[in-house]
Amino acid sequence: MKEIDANKLCMPVEGAYSYGNYYDMPEEEPVREMLINDGWRFAPTELAGAEMMDYDDTTWKPVDLPHDYSLIPLPGGDNDEQIGPFSKHSPGRNATGHVMGGTGWYRKIIKTDKNFEGKLVKLSFDGTYNETKVWVNGIMMGNHVNGYTPYYYDITSALKPVGEDNIIAVRCRNNGRNAHWYSGAGIYRDVKLEMFDPIHVDPWGAYVTLAYLDTYETKVNVEARVVNETNEDEVVSVQVVIKSKRGRNVGNAHQEIEVRANSWVRVIQMLHISRAVIWSLENPYLYTAEITIKKGNKIIDEYKQRFGVRKIEVSADKGFRLNGELIYLKGGCLHLDNGFLGAAAFKRAEYRKVELMKEAGYNAVRCAHNPPSSYFLDACDELGLLVIDEFTDVWEVHKTPQDYATYFKETWEPDITNMIKRDRNHPSVIMWSIGNEIPNQSTEDALRIQSALINRVKELDATRFITQVVSPHMISGGWENAQPQLEALDICGYNNMSDMIEADHEAHPDRVFFTAASYSSQAYDYWKPVLDKSYVIGDFVWTVMDYLGEVSAGEAVYAAERDDRARQVLKAGKLPEGLTPDKLYDIQFETMPNLFPKYISWCGDLDITGRKKPQGYYRNVLWGVTPVEMLVHEPIPDGMVENLPPWGWPNEFHHWNWLGCEGKLMHIRVFTQGDRVKLTLQGDEIAEAEVNDQYVAEFDVPFAPGRLEAVAYKYGNMIGKTVLRTAAPPHGIKLTPDKVLLEASRQDLSYIEVKVIDKGDNKVTGVDVPVEVTVTGNGELVGCGNGSIDGMKSFNHAMFKPYRAYGQIIIRPYAKPGDIFVKVKSEFGETEVKLTVVE
């Protein structure tokens, strides 16, 4: 298709700024897109000819998307070599959480209906892992090799006439060592059909940018890429209506254009919004730009694009500012998986992650190390969470033998183009990260690739900052070779190298930094510079939540001797002598013992069920979410020391259940921004201590059962208190759903907390109480288990053991109204909860 210089044709035009409808809308809007997640069939194996229309798939398993086939239990059942979907012989071993990957086939029938008549039809995927081929009616549409970026195919010419069936066939392959974390496999995000007139706004073809902002008046430019896929030149009108959250028209513009045959025009219209509501963390207000194309008096296309009005600025002397307000980025890194659901990006699961982050005090997230789902960014827009949208973990040099570097030279440009076009209207997105800890063999290659990426990003969106996360362990020739790359960035992500920031600031006073993957055990040391130094705009801890894979990265373990080798390598700030960046992950893979059946990273502030872990309590105090928190270290075995990896946290816990340890000294840490803490047990004061400069008061007190209370003071005034109680013997199981009313949608979920309690409703830790889950009625069990690092036997087993009192059940409703009954049976009897599905 010929591309016309649209800027010469349709520059910003100020339209008609009335508040009424510009013209009468039809009673029914044209159907532009259709979600086709339901009614697929799946086979987890290599097959010949499965793309053909006459292939017999009647024995395949029915599935509704999203779907992650990495978590399908392996044939043969559980034994010493495998448990559920996990195997000691996994290609990725610890890195990928011991899953097997492999090939999966999907097929679906769609009927050509009247909505398709006279329309172009495109088949759109929000993400598939990994190497994916797509056929329609036996005709190959294309091959997509990036496991995280969105893509689509024009399937119009492959469709059958109206009334006939069409077969969509999709083959996904996740083979070999292609990632160093859990990636999932299959069609794990949404699939849609998009249908539009041959003259239309291109998919991801709307782009809203801020032109002017003050208290009384806002101007936005609404850009639309209008495509004419006919053989005739056409004159059409393009109207933009901006609507408030309540559907009120707050701005209009209108323009007539000529679109030549088989070409496109970029239409840019400037609209005024009087007294616009500004998008912020506290009030994430969203508008919708409705773009309508008319040919004569007939509406031929309608396109809706959400956006937020906000302004971002950054400098070394003023920090990061949102709408003129200084914001300290309280950030965390987040991998894509959803715990027991694997990579499957259910809408409810993606929104829940953002809800959990907001509750924990986060205001920013770094998507590690790939573009997230559309649902995740929608949630960030709606709930108010700032986003670093990251493209990739490798460029042309591999970290693992079959990773994205295999295809980077051929596919980076369409992949990053699709990512930015899809995501550039999200007000939550403030930075584009073009790479994470990229291994390079030479500075020249690094600068060549970086320059190409930066130039392409700026062509697509010049309104956000460009960053890259750099680590000295991925730089050949030493840290000085990273400086040319850092100079090209708007904001620099420093990974595992906070000690270098001060020296680099002195050498480069205009450079803006954030710490990109900090250690929770050094949370204070990473956070203090953010508060004190304007050129350090935020800290992003590794990680917000535990994730599958990179097993035991944060696990504290007991040993006879101290082992600080990992810390020393990271502290050295450079690669060990004789080692090149492309060999680092190979050496780790070859030398690290197989840790099966451990399968979780164990470095999150939250566990895989979303429950707060010990480090999360400290961060709550550090960020002012809570005034005081208390943790108790478990007894360290005699003759042993606790070895803490850089991403780890000591084995201390939020409870006072230490039966059998009566009279034994327990090490207690109380976190507060006060200056003094008093401890009482059963109302009697037993200790008092000053708070150090990292907000910690420490105690060693003998264990005795009862009510342990910590009271924090500042300047003699109480600022808060917290209580831990010794539980009585276990008495029952308590079920607490996060939602009891569910939508009649396969995208909704209810997360049910399973809690072992005593008669007083206190959690009872340290007891193994198997529970058996039964689900009847209008829904199904799609996930369950506990948050333990080695809870593999409980992973998605209908009979599982809670860990330290807690477990989780995930229920998916059917797409119709009705009730769901979830029953849990244990040695204490049966407990049931009812969920209701409504239209």
Side-chain angles (χ1 to χ4, degrees):
M1 181 177 291
K2 182 180 177 183
E3 296 187 359
I4 296 175
D5 186 349
N7 287 316
K8 294 180 180 178
L9 294 175
C10 301
M11 292 300 289
V13 174
E14 299 205 9
Y17 308 114
S18 66
Y19 287 94
N21 289 326
Y22 192 78
Y23 49 77
D24 291 332
M25 300 294 288
E27 290 185 6
E28 293 187 9
E29 297 180 359
V31 176
R32 179 161 176 128
E33 67 177 36
M34 179 190 306
L35 198 64
I36 57 167
N37 283 350
D38 297 347
W40 291 75
R41 289 184 175 272
F42 171 75
T45 186
E46 285 281 4
L47 294 166
E51 73 277 11
M52 303 309 295
M53 286 196 68
D54 58 357
Y55 188 89
D56 184 4
D57 61 12
T58 54
T59 61
W60 291 18
K61 181 181 178 180
V63 297
D64 293 338
L65 307 179
H67 183 253
D68 178 359
Y69 65 77
S70 281
L71 298 186
I72 296 174
L74 298 172
D78 293 356
N79 54 54
D80 291 342
E81 302 294 310
Q82 65 181 45
I83 298 171
F86 308 105
S87 170
K88 278 187 179 180
H89 308 291
S90 159
R93 294 205 312 228
N94 300 328
T96 57
H98 307 293
V99 292
M100 292 301 293
T103 298
W105 276 92
Y106 298 84
R107 285 168 59 94
K108 179 178 173 63
I109 298 173
I110 59 169
K111 188 179 293 292
T112 306
D113 65 23
K114 291 184 178 180
N115 284 323
F116 296 6
E117 281 191 295
K119 300 290 182 70
L120 302 177
V121 182
K122 301 196 177 182
L123 180 62
S124 172
F125 296 85
D126 199 42
T128 55
Y129 202 91
N130 179 29
E131 299 174 8
T132 303
K133 288 188 177 181
V134 178
W135 294 264
V136 175
N137 296 327
I139 302 169
M140 185 172 168
M141 297 291 102
N143 180 34
H144 190 76
V145 295
N146 185 300
Y148 309 102
T149 52
Y151 61 100
Y152 61 85
Y153 300 117
D154 187 335
I155 65 171
T156 310
S157 62
L159 292 175
K160 299 292 184 181
V162 171
E164 295 189 24
D165 288 341
N166 304 273
I167 299 291
I168 300 173
V170 180
R171 187 192 69 193
C172 299
R173 280 180 173 162
N174 177 354
N175 290 337
R177 288 173 52 210
N178 56 64
H180 61 93
W181 60 81
Y182 178 87
S183 61
I187 310 178
Y188 68 99
R189 294 180 182 168
D190 278 356
V191 182
K192 295 179 181 179
L193 288 178
E194 299 186 54
M195 302 151 285
F196 31 72
D197 190 87
I199 302 174
H200 59 271
V201 178
D202 221 16
W204 310 317
Y207 179 37
V208 184
T209 56
L210 181 65
Y212 178 78
L213 174 65
D214 70 13
T215 305
Y216 301 103
E217 184 179 38
T218 298
K219 295 180 182 180
V220 295
N221 287 328
V222 180
E223 174 184 318
R225 178 180 159 117
V226 180
V227 180
N228 178 3
E229 297 193 44
T230 74
N231 295 321
E232 302 290 335
D233 296 348
E234 296 286 357
V235 174
V236 296
S237 65
V238 180
Q239 176 174 336
V240 178
V241 176
I242 294 180
K243 291 195 172 182
S244 69
K245 189 180 291 188
R246 295 183 177 181
R248 180 170 173 251
N249 291 5
V250 296
N252 293 303
H254 174 265
Q255 186 176 0
E256 285 200 351
I257 62 169
E258 180 183 10
V259 195
R260 295 172 190 167
N262 295 304
S263 66
W264 60 271
V265 171
R266 182 181 294 113
V267 181
I268 307 175
Q269 302 190 70
M270 182 182 290
L271 289 88
H272 293 222
I273 306 174
S274 180
R275 296 183 180 274
V277 181
I278 307 303
W279 188 93
S280 67
L281 298 175
E282 299 76 25
N283 183 27
Y285 192 90
L286 296 170
Y287 290 94
T288 301
E290 298 185 353
I291 304 168
T292 304
I293 300 176
K294 291 181 69 178
K295 183 179 177 182
N297 292 321
K298 182 182 179 182
I299 295 174
I300 57 175
D301 192 39
E302 290 185 312
Y303 189 103
K304 295 180 180 181
Q305 181 61 62
R306 291 202 313 181
F307 68 96
V309 174
R310 60 103 175 99
K311 183 179 181 181
I312 55 174
E313 304 164 283
V314 74
S315 67
D317 60 338
K318 293 184 178 179
F320 174 79
R321 294 181 179 268
L322 176 64
N323 307 319
E325 178 188 354
L326 177 65
I327 300 291
Y328 302 119
L329 297 180
K330 300 174 180 177
C333 304
L334 193 66
H335 269 312
L336 82 164
D337 71 79
N338 282 306
F340 305 122
L341 303 173
F346 291 89
K347 180 178 180 179
R348 173 60 193 149
E350 299 292 85
Y351 273 68
R352 179 176 178 266
K353 282 193 291 196
V354 178
E355 292 170 0
L356 291 170
M357 290 191 70
K358 293 284 286 188
E359 289 170 8
Y362 290 90
N363 64 18
V365 62
R366 174 180 165 227
C367 300
H369 303 291
N370 47 263
S373 72
S374 294
Y375 286 136
F376 184 81
L377 291 180
D378 287 344
C380 292
D381 288 347
E382 293 175 21
L383 301 176
L385 191 73
L386 301 172
V387 178
I388 300 176
D389 200 343
E390 194 154 83
F391 175 46
T392 185
D393 189 55
V394 292
W395 293 346
E396 293 178 2
V397 176
H398 291 276
K399 288 183 179 176
T400 55
Q402 288 84 35
D403 63 21
Y404 182 55
T406 303
Y407 309 103
F408 184 87
K409 287 182 181 179
E410 292 75 30
T411 69
W412 74 264
E413 188 165 3
D415 287 340
I416 201 168
T417 297
N418 287 357
M419 162 187 154
I420 291 178
K421 282 187 172 182
R422 185 198 70 172
D423 296 350
R424 63 187 176 178
N425 290 296
H426 288 280
S428 57
V429 177
I430 58 171
M431 290 185 233
W432 304 115
S433 172
I434 57 174
N436 168 68
E437 295 184 320
I438 300 298
N440 289 293
Q441 299 288 39
S442 73
T443 302
E444 291 75 19
D445 279 346
L447 291 175
R448 169 182 58 82
I449 301 166
Q450 183 196 53
S451 177
L453 287 164
I454 288 174
N455 288 340
R456 184 56 179 152
V457 171
K458 288 182 176 178
E459 288 172 3
L460 295 165
D461 177 43
T463 71
R464 291 170 176 84
F465 307 114
I466 298 176
T467 189
Q468 180 182 333
V469 174
V470 182
S471 168
H473 304 94
M474 291 292 159
I475 304 297
S476 293
W479 182 240
E480 61 275 8
N481 287 343
Q483 297 306 319
Q485 290 186 63
L486 294 165
E487 283 297 289
L489 302 170
D490 299 319
I491 303 173
C492 302
Y494 275 38
N495 206 354
N496 309 328
M497 45 198 278
S498 58
D499 294 345
M500 298 181 183
I501 288 179
E502 192 61 36
D504 280 9
H505 169 67
E506 291 180 8
H508 308 277
D510 292 331
R511 184 173 293 176
V512 179
F513 308 80
F514 67 92
T515 47
S518 64
Y519 311 137
S520 57
S521 59
Q522 299 174 31
Y524 180 88
D525 295 331
Y526 279 97
W527 184 242
K528 191 70 162 58
V530 178
L531 300 179
D532 294 345
K533 300 170 182 178
S534 59
Y535 49 87
V536 182
I537 63 170
D539 172 45
F540 289 75
V541 66
W542 190 267
T543 53
V544 176
M545 292 183 72
D546 284 343
Y547 53 95
L548 309 181
E550 293 191 314
V551 173
S552 196
E555 183 188 18
V557 296
Y558 301 125
E561 296 180 352
R562 182 71 61 196
D563 184 357
D564 286 331
R565 287 174 294 176
R567 288 181 177 274
Q568 293 305 317
V569 170
L570 292 170
K571 191 174 181 180
K574 62 180 180 180
L575 282 168
E577 201 68 34
L579 184 61
T580 55
D582 60 316
K583 300 300 181 185
L584 190 62
Y585 284 88
D586 284 341
I587 289 175
Q588 184 184 49
F589 180 81
E590 292 162 5
T591 60
M592 191 171 184
N594 190 323
L595 297 175
F596 183 96
K598 295 178 180 178
Y599 71 112
I600 292 173
S601 62
W602 207 245
C603 53
D605 278 13
L606 309 174
D607 70 16
I608 63 166
T609 74
R611 287 203 60 79
K612 194 181 304 180
K613 288 171 62 188
Q615 52 264 55
Y617 289 97
Y618 178 74
R619 195 173 305 281
N620 278 173
V621 169
L622 184 66
W623 286 347
V625 178
T626 56
V628 59
E629 298 289 357
M630 177 166 49
L631 298 176
V632 183
H633 201 292
E634 69 180 9
I636 297 176
D638 293 340
M640 307 288 266
V641 295
E642 185 176 42
N643 284 319
L644 189 65
W647 296 275
W649 191 265
N651 287 324
E652 53 187 11
F653 302 97
H654 190 249
H655 68 79
W656 191 239
N657 295 326
W658 303 101
L659 298 180
C661 296
E662 285 79 3
K664 189 177 183 69
L665 285 180
M666 308 298 293
H667 188 67
I668 299 170
R669 294 202 297 171
V670 178
F671 312 133
T672 178
Q673 294 194 32
D675 52 34
R676 181 165 291 275
V677 173
K678 291 182 180 180
L679 280 187
T680 64
L681 183 63
Q682 293 296 90
D684 297 326
E685 184 174 328
I686 58 172
E688 183 174 347
E690 292 184 355
V691 179
N692 67 23
D693 60 3
Q694 296 199 1
Y695 307 147
V696 181
E698 300 191 60
F699 305 86
D700 289 291
V701 300
F703 172 71
R707 182 181 187 274
L708 182 70
E709 181 177 67
V711 183
Y713 298 87
K714 192 165 189 175
Y715 309 129
N717 298 313
M718 188 185 78
I719 62 171
K721 59 185 177 180
T722 185
V723 174
L724 300 177
R725 292 180 175 87
T726 307
H731 177 71
I733 302 294
K734 183 177 181 180
L735 302 180
T736 307
D738 69 338
K739 293 179 68 176
V740 293
L741 289 179
L742 297 172
E743 297 176 16
S745 165
R746 299 289 278 160
Q747 288 288 349
D748 206 358
L749 301 166
S750 179
Y751 287 80
I752 302 175
E753 177 188 88
V754 179
K755 181 180 177 183
V756 183
I757 57 171
D758 64 10
K759 287 184 176 180
D761 203 35
N762 299 303
K763 65 183 178 185
V764 182
T765 59
V767 293
D768 290 331
V769 183
V771 298
E772 184 177 4
V773 183
T774 305
V775 179
T776 56
N778 192 40
E780 60 180 330
L781 176 69
V782 291
C784 61
N786 64 51
S788 170
I789 189 172
D790 56 1
M792 190 181 279
K793 288 186 176 181
S794 288
F795 187 94
N796 288 345
H797 281 246
M799 179 174 283
F800 68 90
K801 293 180 179 180
Y803 171 70
R804 298 190 183 275
Y806 292 100
Q808 185 178 76
I809 298 167
I810 308 174
I811 301 298
R812 186 184 192 185
Y814 297 128
K816 60 182 181 180
D819 292 330
I820 307 170
F821 299 92
V822 182
K823 183 183 296 184
V824 169
K825 183 189 297 184
S826 72
E827 64 184 74
F828 310 113
E830 294 184 353
T831 307
E832 186 176 79
V833 64
K834 184 178 83 169
L835 312 174
T836 300
V837 184
V838 297
E839 289 286 2

